[in-house]
Amino acid sequence: MDWLDQVVRLKRWTKDGVRAPHKPLLLLYALGRYQQDTEGGLRYSAVEGELKRLLAEYGPANPTTPGYPFHHLVSDGVWEVRTDQGLGSPGSAVGALRSSGATGRLAPALRTALGEEPALLGRMGRALLDAHFPVSLHADLCEAVGLDLEQAEGGVEARIRRQRDRRMRELILTAYEFQCAFCGYDGALGGSVVGLEAAHVRWWSHDGPDEVDNGLCLCSLHHKLFDKGVLGLGEGHRILVSRRFVGRSEASRRHVLALSGRTVIGPQAGVAPVAERHREWHARQVFHGEPRQPVG
């Protein structure tokens, strides 16, 4: 069994191209828990709250339930569910999962493979992250699910990646003249830019191309907020700020809330701006809720 291929190709619910990270999030959570306790199971009623928080933070804006992946991940061959009556899931209904004592864990064959090859845990974690989430969220996700990849890999760098275009960062930063398209930050250290990143608008993990019209030069803060759905792009390349974002300090007002309605800085003349199809993808799949009205 090629477990890396298995986790990259998880069957996901699709409708109108809506992003559905439910199964990858549950499997990452299960790997993190397995790393801490190889024999333990995940009783649905005990982990429902944590899974809900993961979906709320890293899933699409639409309300969703962890009952769906808890039940349906079984069909991918990496997960099993038992109830108080024995093997088999009672379905995806939250009430049935709670009342039946439904408990999930990694499939027996996968647990055997992980026992025989401990480094597989880290490779699976990286493959899941690469296939389903942007790089800027990987560290936060690992922390959220309790997964220590360095420990899992034993210090070995073993990443399974679709080959990215190494020129992407240089092309994007040049196009935006080495400044954040949202705030204008242009810091450098010893002649090298620092704190500036090439952000994919449509995530690379979701078929976003390594092309200038799918990129923005963003500072580290605004890249993270863009990938978390706090910030977005509206028509006319104006910056959107989610109404769901709460920031009471002067720093939050200055660095986030005040961006609402501003026009993106760049790109330079002759370079294609963000393509409408990529902007619309981010608005549908990543941006959370409704945008705030421009300040002032």
Side-chain angles (χ1 to χ4, degrees), residues 5-182:
D5 184 67
Q6 195 85 347
V7 301
V8 167
R9 298 180 184 277
L10 292 178
K11 296 188 289 290
R12 290 177 289 169
W13 175 86
T14 56
K15 183 179 180 182
D16 300 326
V18 174
R19 182 169 64 94
H22 308 66
K23 287 182 176 180
L25 283 171
L26 173 58
L27 189 50
L28 279 170
Y29 181 81
L31 290 173
R33 293 291 293 268
Y34 176 87
Q35 187 177 36
Q36 299 164 31
D37 179 6
T38 59
E39 299 300 324
L42 305 180
R43 194 173 182 90
Y44 181 82
S45 58
V47 301
E48 181 181 8
E50 292 183 73
L51 295 177
K52 273 186 176 180
R53 285 191 289 275
L54 279 174
L55 285 169
E57 187 168 0
Y58 296 100
N62 302 331
T64 188
T65 169
Y68 168 83
F70 204 92
H71 166 71
H72 288 286
L73 188 59
V74 172
S75 66
D76 292 276
V78 297
W79 181 250
E80 69 171 12
V81 175
R82 292 178 178 270
T83 67
D84 294 338
Q85 284 69 49
L87 182 64
S89 171
S92 59
V94 169
L97 289 165
R98 292 172 183 161
S99 63
S100 66
T103 299
R105 63 189 309 192
L106 299 178
L110 176 53
R111 297 200 306 273
T112 297
L114 289 169
E116 294 174 348
E117 186 184 355
L120 176 61
L121 178 66
R123 293 201 297 274
M124 286 182 66
R126 293 212 185 269
L128 275 167
L129 291 167
D130 283 344
H132 302 290
F133 302 97
V135 174
S136 65
L137 298 183
H138 288 188
D140 287 351
L141 266 168
C142 286
E143 183 176 354
V145 301
L147 181 60
D148 186 334
L149 289 180
E150 290 189 7
Q151 177 185 336
E153 293 171 333
V156 177
E157 288 292 330
R159 304 190 180 204
I160 308 300
R161 298 182 184 271
R162 182 180 114 215
Q163 189 64 45
R164 298 176 189 250
D165 189 335
R166 295 181 180 178
R167 301 171 301 162
M168 176 70 170
R169 182 175 184 275
E170 180 182 354
L171 291 173
I172 293 297
L173 268 60
T174 300
Y176 286 85
E177 300 182 287
F178 299 90
Q179 62 178 334
C180 176
F182 286 178

Side-chain angles (χ1 to χ4, degrees), residues 11-12 14 30 35 44 48 78 100 107 112 130 146 152 154 176 192 195 226 228 230 235 238-239 257 263 276 280 287:
K11 296 188 289 290
R12 290 177 289 169
T14 56
Q35 187 177 36
Y44 181 82
E48 181 181 8
V78 297
S100 66
T112 297
D130 283 344
Y176 286 85
S192 299
F226 188 66
K228 292 294 285 288
V230 172
E235 294 181 358
R238 294 191 177 275
I239 302 169
L257 298 176
T263 303
E276 186 67 10
E280 289 179 348
F287 187 71

